[in-house]
Amino acid sequence: MNRKQVCPLRAQAGSALIVSLLILIVLTVLGVAAMSTNSLEEKMAGNTRQSDLAFQSAESALRDGEIDLSTNNPTGYNSACTSGLCLPSTTGISVWQTVNWATNARAYGAYTGAAALAGVPKPAYIIEQMPPAVTPGCNLGQTGTYNNGPCSFQVYRITARGTGPDGTAVAMLQEAYKP
């Protein structure tokens, strides 16, 4: 006769309970880690959106400054940067670092009639009148023409500043522009 061995209940002593509790703890830790990673990724996506909108806002202000220069040909450039028309700094510190963007810069659309941008604060720009540039092939101080073009021409530096929807992300862009 074959006899089956049966383990008494006391010999098990709850090992299945301990194993299942350990598995539950591991699953809980994995769930919490996944939630915190998801939360961090959401914040990163929001920050990326803020900075992208700030960049696009500043890019729009650069284009607005180009239109302003091309169509209005503004005058009255000075070292105080009144109305966003500036002369280059003589102190070695760039004008865009010291200008009061709230009061001295030119607001987007104010001189061109461009429609306001949706969802972001109004960007601004300043225009610096740089010293005349010399055409390659001409000498400094040479007047007249070279290869059917003028020996010198006026260049402007446009600096634009845009912010994201909540104002935390700021983008500044700069370009040299010849109208």
Side-chain angles (χ1 to χ4, degrees):
M1 249 203 267
N2 288 340
R3 289 179 89 192
K4 285 188 178 182
Q5 282 190 327
V6 178
C7 292
L9 290 178
R10 274 185 250 170
Q12 292 183 9
S15 62
L17 177 63
I18 293 172
V19 170
S20 61
L21 284 176
L22 287 174
I23 291 173
L24 276 174
I25 289 171
V26 168
L27 289 175
T28 302
V29 168
L30 287 174
V32 169
M35 283 182 5
S36 65
T37 300
N38 187 31
S39 189
L40 179 64
E41 287 174 357
E42 241 179 88
K43 287 179 186 176
M44 290 188 317
N47 289 341
T48 300
R49 180 179 181 276
Q50 290 283 332
S51 63
D52 285 349
L53 288 173
F55 179 83
Q56 291 171 14
S57 175
E59 184 75 26
S60 296
L62 271 182
R63 301 299 154 245
D64 198 53
E66 290 174 1
I67 293 168
D68 187 5
L69 270 171
S70 297
T71 58
N72 299 332
N73 195 18
T75 58
Y77 294 90
N78 58 62
S79 58
C81 229
T82 309
S83 299
L85 301 175
C86 313
L87 290 174
S89 173
T90 57
T91 63
I93 300 172
S94 297
V95 173
W96 59 269
Q97 292 175 311
T98 59
V99 73
N100 184 336
W101 285 94
T103 58
N104 287 0
R106 295 168 87 82
Y108 176 82
Y111 297 91
T112 61
L117 301 173
V120 292
K122 199 175 259 193
Y125 61 92
I126 59 171
I127 302 171
E128 289 177 78
Q129 185 180 34
M130 305 305 286
V134 177
T135 303
C138 290
N139 297 324
L140 274 174
Q142 180 180 344
T143 57
T145 62
Y146 178 78
N147 283 344
N148 297 325
C151 272
S152 67
F153 54 92
Q154 187 60 55
V155 176
Y156 299 89
R157 179 168 43 204
I158 304 171
T159 305
R161 182 180 187 271
T163 57
D166 67 1
T168 56
V170 176
M172 292 186 77
L173 301 176
Q174 198 172 65
E175 72 174 347
Y177 183 72
K178 176 188 172 281

PDB file of all heavy atoms in Angstrom, residues 64 109-115:
ATOM      1  N   ASP A  64       8.429  91.668 -36.439  1.00  0.00           N
ATOM      2  CA  ASP A  64       7.750  92.948 -36.292  1.00  0.00           C
ATOM      3  C   ASP A  64       8.779  94.089 -36.365  1.00  0.00           C
ATOM      4  O   ASP A  64       8.514  95.121 -36.979  1.00  0.00           O
ATOM      5  CB  ASP A  64       6.980  92.989 -34.971  1.00  0.00           C
ATOM      6  CG  ASP A  64       5.934  94.081 -34.941  1.00  0.00           C
ATOM      7  OD1 ASP A  64       5.103  94.134 -35.875  1.00  0.00           O
ATOM      8  OD2 ASP A  64       5.941  94.876 -33.985  1.00  0.00           O
ATOM      9  N   GLY A 109       3.518  95.118 -32.507  1.00  0.00           N
ATOM     10  CA  GLY A 109       2.343  95.634 -33.187  1.00  0.00           C
ATOM     11  C   GLY A 109       2.087  97.119 -33.002  1.00  0.00           C
ATOM     12  O   GLY A 109       1.257  97.687 -33.693  1.00  0.00           O
ATOM     13  N   ALA A 110       2.789  97.780 -32.075  1.00  0.00           N
ATOM     14  CA  ALA A 110       2.524  99.194 -31.805  1.00  0.00           C
ATOM     15  C   ALA A 110       2.860 100.084 -33.001  1.00  0.00           C
ATOM     16  O   ALA A 110       2.205 101.102 -33.222  1.00  0.00           O
ATOM     17  CB  ALA A 110       3.306  99.644 -30.576  1.00  0.00           C
ATOM     18  N   TYR A 111       3.870  99.718 -33.783  1.00  0.00           N
ATOM     19  CA  TYR A 111       4.289 100.545 -34.919  1.00  0.00           C
ATOM     20  C   TYR A 111       3.982  99.902 -36.262  1.00  0.00           C
ATOM     21  O   TYR A 111       4.216 100.499 -37.299  1.00  0.00           O
ATOM     22  CB  TYR A 111       5.791 100.850 -34.809  1.00  0.00           C
ATOM     23  CG  TYR A 111       6.110 101.660 -33.585  1.00  0.00           C
ATOM     24  CD1 TYR A 111       6.436 101.046 -32.382  1.00  0.00           C
ATOM     25  CD2 TYR A 111       6.054 103.052 -33.615  1.00  0.00           C
ATOM     26  CE1 TYR A 111       6.704 101.789 -31.247  1.00  0.00           C
ATOM     27  CE2 TYR A 111       6.324 103.808 -32.483  1.00  0.00           C
ATOM     28  CZ  TYR A 111       6.651 103.168 -31.302  1.00  0.00           C
ATOM     29  OH  TYR A 111       6.901 103.906 -30.184  1.00  0.00           O
ATOM     30  N   THR A 112       3.486  98.685 -36.232  1.00  0.00           N
ATOM     31  CA  THR A 112       3.195  97.986 -37.486  1.00  0.00           C
ATOM     32  C   THR A 112       1.730  97.601 -37.624  1.00  0.00           C
ATOM     33  O   THR A 112       1.300  97.202 -38.700  1.00  0.00           O
ATOM     34  CB  THR A 112       4.028  96.699 -37.589  1.00  0.00           C
ATOM     35  OG1 THR A 112       3.686  95.839 -36.502  1.00  0.00           O
ATOM     36  CG2 THR A 112       5.516  96.999 -37.566  1.00  0.00           C
ATOM     37  N   GLY A 113       0.984  97.680 -36.550  1.00  0.00           N
ATOM     38  CA  GLY A 113      -0.421  97.297 -36.593  1.00  0.00           C
ATOM     39  C   GLY A 113      -0.652  95.799 -36.575  1.00  0.00           C
ATOM     40  O   GLY A 113      -1.754  95.335 -36.853  1.00  0.00           O
ATOM     41  N   ALA A 114       0.369  95.023 -36.239  1.00  0.00           N
ATOM     42  CA  ALA A 114       0.223  93.564 -36.195  1.00  0.00           C
ATOM     43  C   ALA A 114      -0.750  93.166 -35.090  1.00  0.00           C
ATOM     44  O   ALA A 114      -0.775  93.785 -34.018  1.00  0.00           O
ATOM     45  CB  ALA A 114       1.577  92.903 -35.962  1.00  0.00           C
ATOM     46  N   ALA A 115      -1.552  92.157 -35.356  1.00  0.00           N
ATOM     47  CA  ALA A 115      -2.541  91.691 -34.380  1.00  0.00           C
ATOM     48  C   ALA A 115      -1.839  91.050 -33.184  1.00  0.00           C
ATOM     49  O   ALA A 115      -0.768  90.463 -33.316  1.00  0.00           O
ATOM     50  CB  ALA A 115      -3.480  90.675 -35.036  1.00  0.00           C
TER      51      ALA A 115
END
